[in-house]
Amino acid sequence: MDHTTFFNRRDFLKGAGAFGAMTLALWQGGCDSCANQIAHRPKRRNIANMASNDPDLTTYQDAVTKMKALPTSDHRNWANQAQIHYDHCPHGNWWFLPWHRAYLLYFEKICRQLTGNSQFALPYWNWTSNPTIPNVFWGNGNPLFDPNRGVPQGSTADPSFVGAPVIDNILGQTNFFLFASNSAVNQRDFSGYGMLEGTPHNYIHGWISGDMGAFHSPLDPIFWTHHNMLDCLWVDWNINRNNPNSNDVHWTDFQFTDFFDENGNSVTVEVMATILYPIFLYQFEPCAPNETGSKMSNKQLERFLRAGAPVKLNFLKRFELQQSITAEMGKPTVGAVKVEEGVLRQAMEGTANQHVVLTIGDVNFPDKNDFFVRVFLDKTDVTPQTSLEDPHYAGSFAMFFDNSMHDMAGHGKPAYLVDVTPAIRKLSQAGSLPQGQVDVSLLPVPFPGREAAGQRITIGHLEVAIAQY
Ligand code: C2O
């Protein structure tokens, strides 16, 4: 019996209650064969470790070819799968990670079903250790090639978005919202990009561009391996490093109704089920810088994952800029945010876990997302050439949107959350801690070789907050 089928029938269709009873029985030894299957659950591997005839790669190619050949009446058809994303993907909110996790799981099941390879595990592209788009995605006639890409073969992703120190810093965020994007009410609300989504995720989309640059991005086969890397990093953050997800029932009990299983039938997926996938349904080859396994037993892990934590982005003090600012490509716009005297020093010296969080909100989408944004503190003369070793450098984020979103009324405008604590600490150590005012410089930088001239972004809300978590 394929354990994924078992989970489908018993649990995912009937909700978390049945899932609970089953897993309990499992750990008590009530289902020996399941325990064995779980121990040998498919391992999603790094493409860089695969030969070109690796069964996971050839199956992936075969699956893409077969999905493209399915009639448009079939929900498993390649373009129909991408349409699910276009119509329903949550971005800039806390459903980003679980939604894409479920999307990948059902995609992987479809690949297994269509190819007959029940052992197939979706590969991932580790852009941290291999920042060049792998060669397996290139070549005319190759099902994994997408001719619409805006980057040529051999281009390398910018380490300030995907490099080990940046990813390690993101994985070091202990607050779920800063790591995984902010809480929201509706699936497609923009409430705030966390650092995983706003930095490497958005960057890879915008940089590759073409199909990847907008909401039909799953048309590019690289999409699935990009999101698999993100899923692996969530596993590292949540399971290896034991950072808790939110236990808010508006999140854990939320149901996605957008997916189709391997037979093309509609499924309903509860967020809590997706949280448990990585301990029951698949595992990963290590993907994170400095990865170590979890110190918990599986039983402890399951309890930990189910429990989550009452996560809050607890803003003790907030300092807002009362005006909107506009930035042109290649030139910084500076928001001078007045803060209480001494408040940053207290945050640096206090014993409580205080952090300085920057919110860049009410961001107006420009026409194209052909650029990314650098953030500097208390340095106003920055250019695209300013060194990122400069102690004033505080982080970078990128955009990912579809132009159709211009018309998506009622979803709000995106916001980006950046933990600027490390930058403030560096400035403090250099004896230049901002006093009474923080000059926030936002610098839009066009992607190399891309036409972004004349574009501007307007930021309606800029806030420096002291947060405790
Ligand atoms: Cu919903 Cu990276 O895409």
Side-chain angles (χ1 to χ4, degrees):
M1 181 185 61
D2 172 12
H3 65 272
T4 59
T5 319
F6 183 86
F7 276 89
N8 263 335
R9 285 210 203 103
R10 296 283 180 89
D11 302 300
F12 294 167
L13 292 179
K14 290 183 186 168
F19 198 52
M22 196 285 283
T23 57
L24 201 65
L26 201 62
W27 301 130
Q28 288 166 347
C31 174
D32 288 345
S33 72
C34 305
N36 187 45
Q37 279 161 353
I38 287 169
H40 295 101
R41 65 200 189 279
K43 184 175 274 182
R44 296 182 178 179
R45 294 155 52 226
N46 183 347
I47 288 175
N49 299 339
M50 296 182 179
S52 59
N53 64 351
D54 189 287
D56 281 337
L57 265 183
T58 54
T59 298
Y60 188 37
Q61 289 172 322
D62 188 24
V64 174
T65 304
K66 293 203 155 99
M67 289 171 82
K68 286 181 178 166
L70 288 174
T72 53
S73 57
D74 192 319
H75 291 293
R76 302 169 303 173
N77 164 285
W78 184 251
N80 288 345
Q81 284 290 306
Q83 193 65 31
I84 294 174
H85 186 267
Y86 184 87
D87 290 337
H88 304 290
C89 63
H91 281 279
N93 73 44
W94 60 352
W95 287 297
F96 165 70
L97 286 177
W99 190 92
H100 289 82
R101 176 174 280 177
Y103 190 37
L104 261 58
L105 182 85
Y106 285 96
F107 175 81
E108 186 180 53
K109 285 170 185 282
I110 293 169
C111 292
R112 286 186 194 134
Q113 175 82 357
L114 293 177
T115 60
N117 178 358
S118 63
Q119 303 304 308
F120 172 69
L122 184 68
Y124 65 85
W125 169 32
N126 186 333
W127 19 248
T128 300
S129 53
N130 300 88
T132 305
I133 301 176
N135 285 334
V136 296
F137 291 101
W138 299 93
N140 281 319
N142 174 356
L144 303 187
F145 177 57
D146 178 341
N148 298 333
R149 285 176 201 143
V151 285
Q153 185 168 8
S155 327
T156 298
D158 189 322
S160 64
F161 286 87
V162 298
V166 174
I167 300 305
D168 208 41
N169 175 46
I170 293 173
L171 291 168
Q173 298 294 329
T174 55
N175 183 279
F176 176 74
F177 300 121
L178 265 177
F179 174 75
S181 301
N182 210 353
S183 61
V185 177
N186 301 301
Q187 185 167 324
R188 290 197 119 176
D189 287 350
F190 287 115
S191 55
Y193 283 88
M195 292 171 68
L196 185 66
E197 185 179 5
T199 307
H201 169 264
N202 285 2
Y203 171 86
I204 289 289
H205 278 283
W207 172 64
I208 294 180
S209 72
D211 289 320
M212 274 293 272
F215 281 8
H216 278 114
S217 45
L219 288 174
D220 187 334
I222 206 157
F223 170 94
W224 305 90
T225 63
H226 169 44
H227 271 273
N228 207 14
M229 174 67 181
L230 295 160
D231 200 42
C232 185
L233 291 175
W234 184 17
V235 168
D236 183 62
W237 181 85
N238 183 210
I239 293 180
N240 296 336
R241 299 184 185 224
N242 301 137
N243 292 296
N245 297 319
S246 169
N247 69 357
D248 188 327
V249 293
H250 295 108
W251 188 69
T252 58
D253 292 1
F254 193 85
Q255 295 187 333
F256 303 126
T257 55
D258 316 319
F259 307 116
F260 297 91
D261 69 10
E262 65 273 31
N263 299 311
N265 297 320
S266 173
V267 286
T268 297
V269 180
E270 208 167 85
V271 167
M272 179 50 81
T274 71
I275 292 170
L276 300 173
Y277 287 176
I279 56 170
F280 292 117
L281 300 184
Y282 56 83
Q283 54 193 320
F284 282 102
E285 249 176 27
C287 63
N290 313 313
E291 183 159 333
T292 56
S294 173
K295 286 172 224 59
M296 292 190 195
S297 71
N298 264 7
K299 207 166 165 179
Q300 288 172 316
L301 262 181
E302 186 186 347
R303 249 186 249 126
F304 167 78
L305 292 177
R306 283 181 184 282
V311 180
K312 283 211 166 55
L313 246 189
N314 201 6
F315 287 158
L316 303 176
K317 295 197 167 161
R318 333 167 59 128
F319 306 98
E320 273 181 83
L321 181 70
Q322 305 289 353
Q323 77 193 66
S324 77
I325 53 176
T326 297
E328 282 175 43
M329 292 302 122
K331 294 177 198 146
T333 182
V334 181
V337 185
K338 297 257 179 286
V339 301
E340 206 177 291
E341 274 304 328
V343 78
L344 296 176
R345 183 164 306 284
Q346 276 167 30
M348 290 302 102
E349 291 171 355
T351 48
N353 293 319
Q354 294 199 355
H355 304 256
V356 186
V357 177
L358 177 67
T359 304
I360 300 136
D362 273 347
V363 178
N364 251 314
F365 287 126
D367 291 331
K368 292 190 191 168
N369 44 15
D370 274 348
F371 63 93
F372 53 81
V373 180
R374 301 266 192 230
V375 184
F376 293 86
L377 301 181
D378 267 16
K379 185 174 175 76
T380 54
D381 58 346
V382 291
T383 71
Q385 284 72 45
T386 302
S387 165
L388 304 186
E389 301 301 315
D390 190 303
H392 300 270
Y393 172 65
S396 297
F397 63 89
M399 313 237 154
F400 174 51
F401 59 82
D402 195 281
N403 264 318
S404 64
M405 317 256 333
H406 285 293
D407 311 318
M408 278 177 57
H411 296 276
K413 289 183 186 156
Y416 296 82
L417 303 171
V418 182
D419 175 13
V420 297
T421 317
I424 297 277
R425 186 164 293 124
K426 271 192 214 160
L427 290 177
S428 166
Q429 283 158 359
S432 43
L433 190 70
Q435 301 290 336
Q437 174 175 320
V438 182
D439 288 334
V440 179
S441 293
L442 300 170
L443 174 71
V445 181
F447 284 109
R450 299 256 288 283
E451 212 18 89
Q455 288 212 92
R456 349 170 118 226
I457 54 165
T458 299
I459 291 118
H461 175 80
L462 198 59
E463 178 180 299
V464 173
I466 308 299
Q468 189 162 35
Y469 50 80

